[in-house]
Amino acid sequence: RRRLKEEEEEGNDRQQPKKKKPKPPRRGTWFLAHRKAARDAAGNATGDITVAHKIKLPGRAILGEGKPENQNLGLAVATGLFLQTIDMNQDAHLAEALKLRNVLAQFTGATRLVGFPEQMITDRSGSVASFAALSEQVFGTIVQRFMAKPLNVRFHYGHPDVWDLTWVRGQGGVAKASKQLHLSEDIFGGMNLVLRGGRVKYLGFKMVGKAREVSFDGTNQFNFKVSSGNGMQLISRDFHRLAKHLDLLRMLSFFQSSAGIFFTEWMLFASLSTFVV
C-alpha cells in the first residue's frame, strides 16, 4: 500500500507543470527627453508636443526614491536662474504670483534658498482633515518662522521653496535619493546647502495653497513616513557632518527640530502614563 501511495504521489508531481523562472529585465537604453510645444512656420502653437532634445542616461532612470530622482533628473532640462520645488497639489492665485518678484529679490549674498508658508485648502473636509491642516499650519508657519530666525536651523522641507538654480545645479542637487535611507529626501538638500556655505531665508508675505489627505489612513501613512525619515536621518553622514560644524545651541535646536521632537513626545507620553495613569 505504501508503494502504491508513493507511486501515485510521484505521478501527481510529474503531471503538475513546473514554475517558470522570471526572466531578468532587459537592459535597454534610457533617455531624458526635453519636450516642448510644437509650433508651425508662423510661430503659432499647433497643440502637439515634440521632443526638443534627448540626454542619454548611464542606466535606469529611477534607482532610489522616486520623487528626488525625478527632481534631480529635471535639473538637466531646467531653464532660467531660479527653480521652485512645488507639488502637483499646490496652487496660488494671481495676487500671490505678483509677489514672486519680491521673493526673487531676496537672493542676495550667500542666500541660496527662500521658503514661505502654505495655506491648507482642505481644512473643511472633515475632522481628520481639519487636524491635519492645523498641524501643517503650525509647522509650516509658526515653527519654521522661529527655526529660521533666531534659531537659524531652517532647512529645505520640500515645497514650495525657491532655489538658486545656477548654484544648486553644480552643488549636489535639491535632494538625495538613496533607497530607504533618504525617506525625508528634502531635508538632505538643505543640509547639503548649509554644509556648502549657503544660507536659507524664510518669508511671511507670500503663501501658496495646498491640499492634503482627508482620510485617516492617508494622514497616518504620512506621519509614519515623516517619523521613519527622521529616524533614518540619525544614521546619515549628513546629520553627523552638520552636527560637527554647528555650535552647541544651534546643534541642540537642530536636533529638537528634527528627530528630537519624537523623542520628546515619547518622554511626554511615558511620563503621563507613569505618573497619571
Side-chain angles (χ1 to χ4, degrees), residues 29-83:
T29 305
W30 295 77
F31 291 90
L32 177 63
H34 184 197
R35 298 182 178 183
K36 66 176 183 179
R39 297 182 180 275
D40 55 15
N44 300 321
T46 60
D48 299 329
I49 301 297
T50 60
V51 178
H53 59 271
K54 295 181 179 180
I55 302 175
K56 186 177 180 180
L57 301 177
R60 293 184 61 87
I62 305 299
L63 295 177
E65 300 293 336
K67 175 187 172 183
E69 288 278 20
N70 288 324
Q71 286 182 335
N72 291 328
L73 285 174
L75 290 177
V77 295
T79 59
L81 299 177
F82 304 99
L83 175 72

Side-chain angles (χ1 to χ4, degrees), residues 76-134:
V77 295
T79 59
L81 299 177
F82 304 99
L83 175 72
Q84 184 179 18
T85 52
I86 188 168
D87 281 356
M88 61 183 298
N89 59 347
Q90 289 184 292
D91 199 359
H93 45 81
L94 180 60
E96 297 295 334
L98 296 176
K99 301 176 185 178
L100 193 57
R101 182 177 181 271
N102 301 78
V103 174
L104 300 181
Q106 303 298 319
F107 285 92
T108 57
T111 302
R112 308 302 181 190
L113 179 66
V114 175
F116 40 89
E118 304 166 332
Q119 181 183 9
M120 298 297 111
I121 61 177
T122 53
D123 54 344
R124 298 183 180 180
S125 301
S127 58
V128 177
S130 177
F131 173 77
L134 182 60

Side-chain angles (χ1 to χ4, degrees), residues 220-234:
N220 186 39
Q221 288 294 328
F222 175 76
N223 292 330
F224 177 75
K225 175 183 177 295
V226 172
S227 59
S228 301
N230 278 271
M232 299 305 292
Q233 290 177 32
L234 297 176

